[in-house]
Amino acid sequence: MKTLNRWLFGEKNQIGRRLIVLIIAFSTVITLLISVVQLAFEYRSLRSAMERELDGIAIYVPTIAGSVWDFDEKQIQRAIDALILLPNLVEVRVIAADTSTKWVSRKAATPNPILRSYPLRYESRGQMSEIGVLEVVSSLDGIYKQLINSALSIVLSNGVKTLLVALFMVVLIRRMLTTRLERLAEKVKALVPGMLPLRQVVETHPQPVPPRLDELEVVEWVLHRTADDLSMAVTALNQLNQSLESRIHERTKELESFSYSVSHDLRTPLRAIDGFSKMLMEDYEDKLDDEGKRMLRVVRTNTDRMGQLIDDILQFSRMGRQDLSLAPVDMERLVRAVFNELQPLVAGRDVRLQVRPLPAVLADAALLRQVLINLLSNAIKFTQPRAQAIIDVTGLVEGAQAAFCVQDNGVGFDMQYVDKLFGVFERLHSTDEFEGTGIGLAIVRQIVVRHGGKVWAEGKLDHGATFHFTLPHVEKNHDK
C-alpha cells in the first residue's frame, strides 16, 4: 500500500492517501451492495420457478381424487411416487378425509421446507364432496446451494469491475485535484514567511505554518490567519469610518443649512423679478413690440421655473432634516388617494391606474405621500405621448421588507443612464420635451433610504419604465 501511495501521490501528498483509502472502502461497500442485490434478484427468480412448479401439480389433483374415491391404494401410491420425482420435492402425502388413512412418499428430510396443500374433491350424484387433501413438501436447499455457487462468481465479477473504476478515479483525482492541491500548498507555505500581513502592522508578527498539516489544512490555516488579520483591519477601518461619518454628518448639516438659507434668500429677488415683469406685461404691453413681448414671456417662464427649482431645493433640504414619524400605513388606500389628488394632471387624457393588493408598511405617511406623488406624477407626465396611459402599482412581501413597483407604458429611458436617475438636477429628457427640475427622484431616494429601504429603476426606450422601492413591512391589522 505504501508503494502504491508513493507511486500515485508522492511522499508529501496527505490528501491523496486519504482519498485512496476512502475510494477503496467505498468501492468495497458498493461491490457488496451490488452483489447482494443481484443475489436477491436471482433468489426471487429461483423461488418463482419453484412456485410455478408447485402450481403445476394442480393438474394431478383430479386423478388422485378419483383414486381416493375408489380407494385404489396402488394407483394412489403410484401417483405420489411419480410426483416425488419432480425437482425440489422431498415429500408427498395424501390424507383421506377421515385423517386415519394416509399414503406417503418421501425422499429425505429438509431444514428449509415449503408446504403446499391441494384439497381433493369428487362429484357424485351432482354433489361435490371433500374426500381428502394432497400435501407436497418442497425444499429450498437446492436454491440455497445454487445461490452459494453464484455468490462467488458474482462477487468476483463485481469486485474486478469496481476495482478498475476505483483505480481510474484515483488516477483521475491525482491528475485533476491532488497534484494541484500539493502545488497550491507549497506556494502558500512559501508565501507565508515573506508576507507582511495586516496583523504585523496592527498587532503582532506573522507566525510560521505548523508542521504535519495536509495540503487543505495548510490553506485553511493561512486563510484563517488572513481572516483574523482582515478582522483587525476591518475593526480599525470601522473606527475610522465612524469618525469620518461623524464629520460628514456635521458637514452635511452645514451644507443643508447653507442650501436652505441660500434658496430661501433667493426668493426675495425672484419675487421682485416676477412682480416687475408682470407689471411690465400689464402696464406697458402696448408699448412693446413682438420681440420685446416674447423676451418678457421668456423672463416670466424662467422665473416660474426658477421658483419651482427653489421650492424643490427647499423641500430636498427639509427631507434630510425632518424627523420620521413612523406608523402603519395602508399603501393601497394611500396610492388611490394620491392619484385622486393628481387628477388635474390627467384632465382630458385616458389614464388608467391599476392597483393590485398592496402590503402595509411602517413609515412616515407624509413623506411616503411625497414619494408616491413624485412617482405617480412622473408616470403621468412621461405617458403623455400615449393614447391610453396605463400605470400599474404592485407589491409583495419579501421577509421583513415590503417591495413595491410602479410601472408605466410611457417613453421609458436608456438603461445605460440609469445611475443618473436619482441624482440631484439629473435629467434624461430635455425641458422642452417634459418639464421638471430633476429633483423629484432624488427626493424619492432620500425618503426611501431614510426608512431603511432601497430604490432602483428599470426601463427601455419607448417601452415604459418601472420604479421599485422597499419599505419595512407591517401587518395590515395593525393599522387600526
Side-chain angles (χ1 to χ4, degrees), residues 8-281:
L8 288 173
F9 302 107
E11 294 288 347
K12 299 180 181 180
N13 200 307
Q14 302 292 332
I15 297 293
R17 294 172 185 167
R18 294 179 188 176
L19 281 175
I20 192 170
V21 172
L22 291 174
I23 289 174
I24 291 175
F26 180 75
S27 301
T28 302
V29 172
I30 291 298
T31 298
L32 293 176
L33 288 176
I34 293 175
S35 300
V36 169
V37 171
Q38 287 181 326
L39 289 173
F41 276 109
E42 185 169 351
Y43 171 78
R44 287 185 58 184
S45 176
L46 294 173
R47 182 67 183 265
S48 297
M50 176 182 287
E51 294 292 338
R52 289 193 298 271
E53 180 183 275
L54 293 175
D55 292 339
I57 294 177
I59 62 175
Y60 300 99
V61 170
T63 302
I64 295 175
S67 300
V68 172
W69 178 263
D70 295 334
F71 209 75
D72 188 345
E73 294 188 3
K74 290 183 178 181
Q75 187 61 32
I76 294 172
Q77 192 65 45
R78 191 178 296 113
I80 63 176
D81 287 343
L83 284 177
I84 200 67
L85 298 177
L86 292 174
N88 299 319
L89 290 187
V90 294
E91 185 175 349
V92 180
R93 299 187 293 265
V94 174
I95 304 174
D98 57 7
T99 68
S100 60
T101 307
K102 295 182 180 179
W103 294 269
V104 180
S105 181
R106 182 182 294 111
K107 284 182 183 177
T110 176
N112 303 295
I114 296 178
L115 177 65
R116 179 74 70 89
S117 299
Y118 306 86
L120 299 176
R121 299 183 181 88
Y122 193 81
E123 184 178 0
S124 176
R125 298 178 182 178
Q127 183 176 0
M128 188 67 70
S129 303
E130 293 279 351
I131 61 174
V133 63
L134 169 65
E135 293 181 347
V136 297
V137 179
S138 184
S139 175
L140 294 173
D141 296 344
I143 292 178
Y144 292 155
K145 289 180 181 178
Q146 190 169 345
L147 287 177
I148 292 173
N149 294 333
S150 300
L152 183 59
S153 61
I154 290 175
V155 170
L156 286 176
S157 174
N158 290 336
V160 170
K161 296 176 185 176
T162 308
L163 180 61
L164 291 175
V165 173
L167 289 175
F168 173 74
M169 290 175 61
V170 168
V171 174
L172 193 64
I173 290 172
R174 163 64 178 168
R175 291 182 177 274
M176 298 182 63
L177 179 63
T178 57
T179 301
R180 297 180 183 179
L181 284 177
E182 186 175 356
R183 288 198 296 264
L184 177 62
E186 290 299 327
K187 288 181 180 179
V188 171
K189 284 182 180 179
L191 287 173
V192 169
M195 286 194 304
L196 184 64
L198 294 171
R199 179 181 292 273
Q200 183 178 6
V201 178
V202 178
E203 185 182 0
T204 61
H205 295 284
Q207 299 178 4
V209 179
R212 291 191 173 182
L213 296 181
D214 64 30
E215 298 83 355
L216 288 178
E217 288 170 341
V218 168
V219 176
E220 182 182 7
W221 183 89
V222 174
L223 291 177
H224 180 71
R225 297 292 296 179
T226 304
D228 289 344
D229 296 341
L230 290 175
S231 177
M232 291 181 144
V234 168
T235 301
L237 288 174
N238 284 337
Q239 294 173 353
L240 180 60
N241 283 338
Q242 289 176 0
S243 175
L244 290 174
E245 286 176 1
S246 177
R247 294 169 61 184
I248 291 172
H249 185 65
E250 293 175 1
R251 293 294 178 87
T252 302
K253 280 188 174 180
E254 294 175 2
L255 289 173
E256 288 177 349
S257 299
F258 175 75
S259 63
Y260 183 84
S261 177
V262 170
S263 300
H264 189 272
D265 292 343
L266 283 175
R267 283 182 176 276
T268 300
L270 190 64
R271 286 196 191 101
I273 295 172
D274 183 60
F276 282 114
S277 63
K278 184 177 181 182
M279 291 170 62
L280 281 172
M281 288 288 292

Side-chain angles (χ1 to χ4, degrees), residues 447-465:
I447 294 174
V448 171
V449 171
R450 288 197 64 196
H451 281 81
K454 58 182 180 178
V455 59
W456 68 99
E458 299 171 345
K460 187 177 180 182
L461 281 176
D462 203 39
H463 286 79

